[in-house]
Amino acid sequence: GDHRDLHSFPTRRSSDLFERLMLGLRLREGLEWPESSPEWLANRSSLATRGLLEEIHPGRWRIPDSVVPLTNQILLPFL
């Protein structure tokens, strides 16, 4: 099979989104994270279950301080 797409770089749009998520989710007040595609919701809830994301208010999420060093890995599924 052709695996090239696994290594393709994110499009400009998705890398902007990635940056926004990365910065926003590290803020103490978190980030307003609009409901999105079903895969995103599934990823988000599995990360929350593992303690890698927390919902501080309905629709407002942050990465707990203890796992901030893992931010890149946490956000990989959303690229």
Side-chain angles (χ1 to χ4, degrees), residues 33 40-54 61 73-78:
W33 194 336
W40 274 49
L41 298 180
N43 285 334
R44 205 168 65 182
S45 45
S46 84
L47 288 167
T49 305
R50 289 159 50 205
L52 299 176
L53 267 183
E54 58 186 6
W61 294 76
Q73 291 147 286
I74 292 169
L75 294 181
L76 269 181
F78 300 104

Side-chain angles (χ1 to χ4, degrees), residues 14-34:
S14 73
S15 68
D16 284 349
L17 174 67
F18 185 69
E19 289 292 310
R20 250 197 10 257
L21 283 175
M22 196 158 86
L23 296 171
L25 287 170
R26 288 160 93 162
L27 297 174
R28 190 164 301 291
E29 65 273 14
L31 173 76
E32 200 64 44
W33 194 336

Side-chain angles (χ1 to χ4, degrees), residues 4 19 30 66:
R4 270 181 316 181
E19 289 292 310
S66 56

